[in-house]
Amino acid sequence: MLSLREENPLDMLRQFSVHFDGDLIENLGAAKMSIANEHGSGYISLYEILPGFTAWIYNINFCRDLVINMNFTDDRPYYFGYNVSGYQLQKFPKEVDYKKISQGQNFIIISKPNSSSEFIIPKDIAYKCCYIIINPELLKKSKIPSKIRIIQDLAESFKLENENDPFRYFGNIDARIGTYADIIIENERTDIIGRLITEGAILRMLGSQIEAHDHDSKTNNYKSSLTKSELSRITYIGDYVLNNISEKVSIDEISLHLRISPKKLQSGIRFLYGYSANEYLTRLRLEHSKELMHSTDMNISEICFAVGYQSKSYFSKIFLDTFGNSPSAYRKSYEDANLLYDISYRSLAEDSLTGKDVDEIINIARLFNPQFNITGSIVFHRNIFFQIIEGPKKEVLTLFNNICNDRRHKDVQVMWQGFKMKREFDDWVMATISDEGELKVEIQGNTKNLELSNLLGKVDKSAMDSENLWRKVRNIIKLNANESAA
């Protein structure tokens, strides 16, 4: 049984990854856990549309029945789901029998605060399912205008008699919802284009589920006159626009490139994304501008021109209308001390490095890191360093640049870097994990139960360079850090 804690989406997916010995790849606002081992084959991915609004996608086949004991918080999130392929079983506490959620069935579950629920996904079936998880408490904190409509729709549709009782709705087989769920599940991209494909389908799927719950199934707008081949071609619109992001790209030009009529192009964009063609192009440019703010030191004017706008004031206006913050305010939020930057890297130790040298590296880190509000963890195994460092972006990048220029490190490879909302190593100035007998430094942090030596001891020297391996190490360390803080 997998005992799953209801936490932030990435931490929940990390629990899956460690349980199934999976490979977890993280992107901004998206992540994907893949397995191809004795546990099964396929993937589970997530997309965070807004804080408190997340989509989970299962496209996986398990070798054994997966029994999940889901431990809920007191926030009472809504779980909207649709099984495209396969089925699952669910029951609340004190229920003797499981309820079956069939293939093609729309379902909605709201938990009792601080309770649990069991789910079973049977083995040896191609299980494809999309969950939309909405946490109203987190959603209320967002400044994005579109969240107001979501909260209103939920409040109007789900007026529960007793807020402490669990709620379960199993709807009829509904091909309309399945149309959007299938788009979400079959889209494996986690980049900016993949996120927009998924976001559009998620919003349409959620609206259809609320309509189904309200017994309003009169709309036929979900049907598309386009073939699957034509819809597939339209998904490449994002790649074309990004390749020409600084230029003005017309619908006619895109239509010619994709070999599809302008009318069908606009119809397909509306079907896939829920936007008009111009709205979609605007959203793509704005999403790319956010990525430039995260990954470069370009100023707002430079970013404005880089994404194809000639007027900074117009760019700022549509950015504010879309995301609830001006570009400068949005960027400042990521430079705020409350938002942390995280870099995980693997490096090879210089050949002549001794245990005494490693002791010195760790002791200096423990001495100076607190001055710059940096925490993290370091692994030293078979002359390989793996380190997670977190703190204010400027200080973390300065430290990492020093590491890259340090002759004692070579072949430095970044496994992940990006922003995050909370610190995962509150009391670990630089926790150390190692089974190298020559190290004399004190093992700091709650690291003794990680059993990383069992994982690392199974692999040969060549496999130590595997990014997959070090992503697993990262997940194990971070899960342990979160459990220690709980």
Side-chain angles (χ1 to χ4, degrees):
M1 176 183 290
L2 170 60
S3 183
L4 191 63
R5 302 186 307 276
E6 190 177 60
E7 297 180 326
N8 74 67
L10 182 56
D11 283 342
M12 290 175 66
L13 191 57
R14 191 169 281 131
Q15 293 174 58
F16 273 101
S17 182
V18 171
H19 182 79
F20 291 115
D21 194 22
D23 181 23
L24 178 61
I25 297 177
E26 303 171 35
N27 289 298
L28 183 66
K32 180 178 180 181
M33 188 279 297
S34 303
I35 60 172
N37 52 31
E38 69 276 12
H39 300 292
S41 61
Y43 63 86
I44 303 172
S45 56
L46 67 85
Y47 295 82
E48 188 174 45
I49 309 303
L50 302 168
F53 186 177
T54 306
W56 280 77
I57 296 95
Y58 290 81
N59 191 347
I60 200 162
N61 191 318
F62 294 110
C63 295
R64 291 181 291 275
D65 288 353
L66 171 61
V67 181
I68 300 174
N69 183 43
M70 185 71 186
N71 296 291
F72 298 107
T73 66
D74 59 0
D75 284 347
R76 282 179 64 84
Y78 296 74
Y79 287 78
F80 295 83
Y82 185 91
N83 288 332
V84 172
S85 173
Y87 67 94
Q88 61 178 306
L89 306 173
Q90 182 269 337
K91 71 173 182 178
F92 288 122
K94 298 182 180 180
E95 289 185 330
V96 176
D97 298 321
Y98 287 91
K99 307 294 183 182
K100 183 177 181 179
I101 308 174
S102 301
Q103 180 170 307
Q105 188 165 34
N106 163 37
F107 61 94
I108 304 168
I109 294 173
I110 305 174
S111 68
K112 179 179 179 179
N114 295 308
S115 67
S116 63
S117 178
E118 281 192 16
F119 297 83
I120 297 179
I121 301 173
K123 65 179 180 179
D124 298 330
I125 63 170
Y127 183 64
K128 297 182 180 182
C129 181
C130 178
Y131 272 93
I132 299 173
I133 305 174
I134 299 180
N135 186 323
E137 297 305 314
L138 292 178
L139 205 58
K140 289 175 185 175
K141 300 176 183 178
S142 170
K143 297 180 180 179
I144 300 173
S146 59
K147 58 91 176 178
I148 298 174
R149 176 62 187 273
I150 296 172
I151 294 174
Q152 289 174 342
D153 287 346
L154 293 176
E156 291 173 4
S157 297
F158 300 96
K159 298 176 181 177
L160 307 181
E161 292 183 3
N162 188 334
E163 293 188 355
N164 288 320
D165 287 341
F167 171 84
R168 176 170 53 207
Y169 164 76
F170 289 175
N172 296 320
I173 305 300
D174 193 325
R176 170 184 47 173
I177 299 169
T179 302
Y180 297 120
D182 195 54
I183 292 171
I184 297 165
I185 291 169
E186 296 304 323
N187 172 38
E188 297 188 27
R189 299 179 66 158
T190 56
D191 60 0
I192 181 175
I193 297 165
R195 291 200 302 273
L196 286 177
I197 292 172
T198 299
E199 179 179 332
I202 286 169
L203 292 172
R204 303 295 284 275
M205 175 179 161
L206 177 62
S208 298
Q209 287 189 278
I210 293 176
E211 284 182 4
H213 171 262
D214 294 342
H215 306 288
D216 181 7
S217 303
K218 297 177 181 178
T219 246
N220 290 318
N221 293 335
Y222 69 95
K223 293 182 179 178
S224 173
S225 60
L226 279 70
T227 65
K228 285 188 176 181
S229 174
E230 289 170 330
L231 287 172
S232 177
R233 265 183 277 156
I234 290 173
T235 63
Y236 288 98
I237 181 176
D239 296 287
Y240 182 77
V241 174
L242 286 181
N243 288 335
N244 301 275
I245 193 72
S246 62
E247 308 295 331
K248 280 193 172 182
V249 182
S250 69
I251 296 300
D252 287 341
E253 184 180 345
I254 298 170
S255 172
L256 183 63
H257 176 75
L258 297 178
R259 305 187 312 280
I260 190 170
S261 73
K263 184 176 180 180
K264 282 191 172 183
L265 176 63
Q266 297 196 53
S267 173
I269 292 173
R270 174 73 70 179
F271 175 75
L272 287 172
Y273 304 104
Y275 299 121
S276 70
N278 287 330
E279 287 171 338
Y280 172 73
L281 295 179
T282 297
R283 187 60 185 268
L284 191 60
R285 293 181 188 280
L286 293 180
E287 290 287 352
H288 187 61
S289 74
K290 286 168 63 177
E291 289 195 343
L292 292 177
M293 292 180 204
H294 301 154
S295 59
T296 74
D297 292 325
M298 296 169 67
N299 61 41
I300 300 300
S301 294
E302 291 171 329
I303 291 173
C304 168
F305 297 134
V307 297
Y309 292 103
Q310 301 305 311
S311 168
K312 182 181 174 184
S313 61
Y314 179 69
F315 169 67
S316 297
K317 178 184 181 302
I318 59 173
F319 193 100
L320 175 64
D321 291 344
T322 303
F323 300 121
N325 278 318
S326 68
S328 56
Y330 179 84
R331 165 165 266 178
K332 185 177 183 303
S333 72
Y334 276 88
E335 295 170 350
D336 221 348
N338 292 329
L339 281 174
L340 301 164
Y341 202 73
D342 178 323
I343 290 181
S344 302
Y345 75 89
R346 190 275 295 147
S347 67
L348 305 182
E350 198 272 331
D351 294 338
S352 61
L353 201 72
T354 66
K356 184 177 180 181
D357 293 327
V358 178
D359 286 346
E360 181 183 358
I361 289 173
I362 296 170
N363 284 327
I364 289 176
R366 290 178 177 174
L367 178 64
F368 287 101
N369 284 354
Q371 299 176 31
F372 300 100
N373 203 19
I374 290 175
T375 53
S377 178
I378 188 168
V379 175
F380 182 66
H381 185 84
R382 297 191 192 178
N383 253 29
I384 293 180
F385 289 104
F386 177 74
Q387 189 168 4
I388 302 172
I389 48 180
E390 60 181 12
K393 180 181 178 181
K394 181 179 178 180
E395 284 72 15
V396 168
L397 290 177
T398 298
L399 173 59
F400 181 65
N401 184 60
N402 293 337
I403 291 169
C404 291
N405 294 323
D406 188 332
R407 64 170 183 80
R408 295 170 296 185
H409 294 267
K410 60 183 181 180
D411 190 22
V412 179
Q413 293 186 16
V414 175
M415 298 301 166
W416 190 84
Q417 64 178 324
F419 288 98
K420 60 185 182 182
M421 299 299 295
K422 67 183 182 71
R423 192 179 293 273
E424 291 172 281
F425 301 98
D426 287 335
D427 300 319
W428 297 16
V429 174
M430 193 49 60
T432 305
I433 305 130
S434 175
D435 60 1
E436 305 290 337
E438 69 268 24
L439 294 190
K440 305 300 181 185
V441 295
E442 177 186 357
I443 302 298
Q444 182 190 34
N446 184 17
T447 62
K448 293 184 178 179
N449 296 326
L450 293 181
E451 299 181 349
L452 282 175
S453 59
N454 292 341
L455 172 63
L456 299 177
K458 295 176 183 177
V459 298
D460 58 25
K461 179 67 176 177
S462 62
M464 297 295 282
D465 290 340
S466 164
E467 290 188 16
N468 180 297
L469 170 69
W470 292 109
R471 282 196 292 264
K472 291 179 183 178
V473 171
R474 169 185 162 87
N475 292 332
I476 293 172
I477 293 173
K478 290 200 167 224
L479 268 185
N480 188 80
N482 290 331
E483 290 175 355
S484 299

